[in-house]
Amino acid sequence: MKFTQKPWAEPFKIKVVEPLKVTTREYREQAMKEAGYNTFLLHSADVYIDLLTDSGTNAMSDNQWAGMMLGDEAYAGSKNYYYLESNVQKYYGYKYLVPTHQGRGAENLLSQCLIKKGQYVPGNMYFTTTRLHQELAGGTFVDVIIDEAHDPQAEHPFKGNVDLNKFEDLIKKVGSENVAYITVGATVNMAGGQPVSMANIKAVNELAHKHGIKVVLDATRAMENAYYIQQREEGYQNKTVAEILKEFASYSDAATMSGKKDLIVNIGGFVAVNDWDLFEELRNMVVVYEGLHTYGGISGRDMEAMARGMEEAVQDDYMAYRIKQVAYLGEKLDAYGVPMVKPFGGHAIFLDARRFYDHIPQTQYPAQALAADLYVDSGVRGMERGIVSAGRNKETGEEYMPKLELVRLTIPRRVYTQSHLDVVAYSVAELYEHRHKTKGLRMAYEPKYLRFFQARFERL
Ligand SMILES: *Cc1c(COP(=O)(O)O)cnc(C)c1O
């Protein structure tokens, strides 16, 4: 037998294990029904392979755990804060740091500081918590991502790019004084984990600054984005992920960060800025919503783990493993003809529920149904990213009908092996083969905010 490809493997070995519960199909059918066909409402103990999210579900290294013992839990001026600050300066290049309990804490502070009621906030596709904080601060989100991002089959290498014409049209239409700032998300979660090119963020920076508009980077997965630039963009092949990350961040004025993603920790986030006055305002706000400005709602040990995770995550061999593992699952499913978002994303594989369950109309929540079916079939937990996640228009009350109706299979960092992913691929392929047997859902309970977290459904 000959190998067709040079194999890759995890650049770490296993020191501690966490046993998993294996359940029967009948058990899972009951559990899914009790959870209202919403995978967010399952007990994690009932889940075999948990691909709900890569947020805070990462496996920390021995080095990070050792760092946890060096937590300086002083109320003010913790040494872990200064270490985190110096690493943010070193790897991202921002001058000032305000830690927060997680990404949405950072989004709240920044939105409150920068958005005046009635202003517009363009961005390369919405993210749930980001858009909500912008709206709660009185802003209106405007999607300025390129059209390809809304097409699951468009093979664009940088599908997360901002459409400069859409951005410029908005400025012309409403006036630059009515644009609070532009958010650039890297890699774009809701588009399927799609990266932004260096050329694009640079051009966004130039256009925004020409009109006196700030660029805010959603840096949650900017390291993963940097790896894509290294792999796909002319002129970056010989640069390290760390070098690319720093250049990328240099085209923004501020960043909000969920450390629970790129930084391989379980909790934490920050907002980082270059402008002293904005920093002052953020420091005034953080004490109201999070905690003192040198701990921002997390403990010293968590800041230490985040600072160490930053050093580990930016290594080229780690990042190559990370992205290749996700692609491994994608390639397996591709071999079975399963419809997915292409190219494969950085943190997840997105099943295209619209084509997968082409007999279920969007108003009967095909992606929600597919996520439920996958759990019942094999104990694998994914998440809906479609009409349920998109929610309702705050003016008209009507459901948004997003073009993308997806099930996200998100890969936690350093947690699962290739064998786990083989089990996932097998189950998805089985469901695809018998896809016409399933029916849609109706929503039985709808929460007011971010409904996808707690909504309940019934089988039609
Ligand atoms: C997770 C996430 C956030 C919010 O961060 P939390 O830590 O979950 O509060 C913001 N933006 C993006 C792109 C994310 O993936």
Side-chain angles (χ1 to χ4, degrees), residues 55 102-105 107 127 129-130 187 189 218 220-221 258-261 268:
S55 180
Q102 59 183 78
R104 69 199 69 184
E107 290 169 349
F127 183 73
T129 58
T130 318
T187 55
N189 194 345
D218 183 338
T220 299
R221 294 186 189 80
S258 170
K260 301 172 70 173
K261 321 286 169 61

Short mmCIF file of all heavy atoms in Angstrom, two decimals, residues 55 102-105 107 127 129-130 187 189 218 220-221 258-261 268, ligand 1:
data_model
loop_
_atom_site.label_atom_id
_atom_site.label_comp_id
_atom_site.label_asym_id
_atom_site.label_seq_id
_atom_site.Cartn_x
_atom_site.Cartn_y
_atom_site.Cartn_z
N SER A 55 -15.58 27.24 21.61
CA SER A 55 -15.45 28.36 22.55
C SER A 55 -15.27 27.88 23.98
O SER A 55 -16.21 27.34 24.58
CB SER A 55 -16.70 29.23 22.46
OG SER A 55 -16.59 30.29 23.36
N GLN A 102 -15.06 37.58 28.94
CA GLN A 102 -14.99 36.89 27.65
C GLN A 102 -15.25 37.89 26.56
O GLN A 102 -15.30 39.09 26.84
CB GLN A 102 -15.92 35.68 27.61
CG GLN A 102 -17.39 35.95 27.83
CD GLN A 102 -18.19 34.65 27.85
OE1 GLN A 102 -18.20 33.94 28.83
NE2 GLN A 102 -18.88 34.34 26.75
N GLY A 103 -15.41 37.43 25.32
CA GLY A 103 -15.50 38.35 24.18
C GLY A 103 -16.64 39.34 24.27
O GLY A 103 -16.48 40.53 23.98
N ARG A 104 -17.81 38.87 24.68
CA ARG A 104 -18.97 39.77 24.70
C ARG A 104 -18.82 40.87 25.74
O ARG A 104 -19.42 41.93 25.61
CB ARG A 104 -20.27 38.97 24.86
CG ARG A 104 -20.46 38.33 26.18
CD ARG A 104 -21.49 37.21 26.11
NE ARG A 104 -20.99 36.08 25.33
CZ ARG A 104 -21.71 35.00 25.04
NH1 ARG A 104 -22.96 34.91 25.44
NH2 ARG A 104 -21.19 34.01 24.34
N GLY A 105 -18.04 40.61 26.77
CA GLY A 105 -17.74 41.67 27.74
C GLY A 105 -16.97 42.79 27.06
O GLY A 105 -17.24 43.98 27.26
N GLU A 107 -17.06 43.39 23.83
CA GLU A 107 -17.97 44.00 22.84
C GLU A 107 -18.89 45.01 23.52
O GLU A 107 -19.15 46.08 22.98
CB GLU A 107 -18.82 42.92 22.17
CG GLU A 107 -18.00 42.03 21.24
CD GLU A 107 -18.77 40.81 20.78
OE1 GLU A 107 -19.86 40.53 21.33
OE2 GLU A 107 -18.29 40.13 19.87
N PHE A 127 -21.98 38.93 13.75
CA PHE A 127 -21.86 37.84 14.72
C PHE A 127 -22.89 38.11 15.80
O PHE A 127 -23.14 39.26 16.16
CB PHE A 127 -20.45 37.73 15.31
CG PHE A 127 -20.35 36.56 16.24
CD1 PHE A 127 -20.32 35.28 15.74
CD2 PHE A 127 -20.38 36.73 17.61
CE1 PHE A 127 -20.31 34.16 16.58
CE2 PHE A 127 -20.37 35.63 18.47
CZ PHE A 127 -20.34 34.35 17.95
N THR A 129 -23.44 37.96 19.19
CA THR A 129 -23.25 38.84 20.35
C THR A 129 -22.75 40.22 19.93
O THR A 129 -23.12 41.22 20.54
CB THR A 129 -22.25 38.23 21.36
OG1 THR A 129 -21.00 38.02 20.70
CG2 THR A 129 -22.75 36.92 21.92
N THR A 130 -21.94 40.28 18.89
CA THR A 130 -21.40 41.55 18.42
C THR A 130 -22.53 42.46 17.97
O THR A 130 -22.63 43.61 18.39
CB THR A 130 -20.43 41.33 17.23
OG1 THR A 130 -19.61 40.20 17.50
CG2 THR A 130 -19.57 42.53 16.97
N THR A 187 -11.25 35.01 11.40
CA THR A 187 -11.95 34.46 10.27
C THR A 187 -13.46 34.53 10.52
O THR A 187 -13.88 34.35 11.66
CB THR A 187 -11.61 32.95 10.11
OG1 THR A 187 -11.90 32.32 11.38
CG2 THR A 187 -10.13 32.70 9.91
N ASN A 189 -16.85 33.80 11.35
CA ASN A 189 -17.55 32.67 11.94
C ASN A 189 -18.83 32.32 11.18
O ASN A 189 -19.00 31.19 10.71
CB ASN A 189 -17.86 33.06 13.40
CG ASN A 189 -18.28 31.89 14.25
OD1 ASN A 189 -18.61 30.83 13.75
ND2 ASN A 189 -18.26 32.08 15.55
N ASP A 218 -12.36 42.13 15.15
CA ASP A 218 -12.80 41.04 16.02
C ASP A 218 -11.69 40.00 15.91
O ASP A 218 -11.64 39.23 14.96
CB ASP A 218 -14.16 40.49 15.59
CG ASP A 218 -14.64 39.40 16.54
OD1 ASP A 218 -13.80 38.81 17.24
OD2 ASP A 218 -15.85 39.13 16.57
N THR A 220 -10.95 37.42 17.59
CA THR A 220 -11.24 36.11 18.17
C THR A 220 -10.46 34.96 17.51
O THR A 220 -9.90 34.11 18.18
CB THR A 220 -12.76 35.86 18.09
OG1 THR A 220 -13.39 36.89 18.86
CG2 THR A 220 -13.15 34.53 18.61
N ARG A 221 -10.46 34.94 16.18
CA ARG A 221 -9.73 33.88 15.46
C ARG A 221 -8.73 34.48 14.47
O ARG A 221 -8.49 33.93 13.39
CB ARG A 221 -10.71 32.94 14.74
CG ARG A 221 -11.58 32.14 15.69
CD ARG A 221 -12.44 31.12 14.98
NE ARG A 221 -13.40 30.51 15.89
CZ ARG A 221 -14.53 31.08 16.26
NH1 ARG A 221 -14.88 32.24 15.76
NH2 ARG A 221 -15.33 30.47 17.13
N SER A 258 -12.25 37.24 22.09
CA SER A 258 -12.69 36.13 22.93
C SER A 258 -11.52 35.18 23.05
O SER A 258 -11.20 34.46 22.10
CB SER A 258 -13.90 35.43 22.28
OG SER A 258 -14.16 34.23 22.98
N GLY A 259 -10.89 35.16 24.20
CA GLY A 259 -9.74 34.27 24.42
C GLY A 259 -10.12 32.80 24.36
O GLY A 259 -9.27 31.93 24.17
N LYS A 260 -11.43 32.54 24.47
CA LYS A 260 -11.93 31.17 24.50
C LYS A 260 -11.75 30.45 23.17
O LYS A 260 -12.04 29.26 23.07
CB LYS A 260 -13.41 31.19 24.87
CG LYS A 260 -13.66 31.86 26.22
CD LYS A 260 -15.13 32.06 26.50
CE LYS A 260 -15.81 30.73 26.76
NZ LYS A 260 -17.22 30.94 27.19
N LYS A 261 -11.34 31.15 22.14
CA LYS A 261 -11.13 30.54 20.82
C LYS A 261 -9.63 30.37 20.59
O LYS A 261 -9.02 29.46 21.12
CB LYS A 261 -11.76 31.39 19.73
CG LYS A 261 -13.10 32.03 20.11
CD LYS A 261 -14.27 31.06 20.15
CE LYS A 261 -15.52 31.64 20.78
NZ LYS A 261 -16.09 32.81 20.13
N GLY A 268 -12.08 33.86 29.29
CA GLY A 268 -11.26 35.07 29.20
C GLY A 268 -11.43 35.80 27.89
O GLY A 268 -11.88 35.24 26.89
C1 LIG B 1 -17.26 33.75 20.36
C2 LIG B 1 -17.21 34.97 19.57
C3 LIG B 1 -17.47 36.22 20.13
C4 LIG B 1 -17.97 36.40 21.55
O1 LIG B 1 -17.08 35.93 22.49
P1 LIG B 1 -17.51 35.18 23.84
O2 LIG B 1 -16.22 34.86 24.49
O3 LIG B 1 -18.31 33.98 23.47
O4 LIG B 1 -18.33 36.16 24.64
C5 LIG B 1 -17.33 37.31 19.31
N1 LIG B 1 -16.97 37.20 18.03
C6 LIG B 1 -16.73 36.02 17.45
C7 LIG B 1 -16.32 35.95 16.02
C8 LIG B 1 -16.84 34.86 18.20
O5 LIG B 1 -16.62 33.68 17.61
#
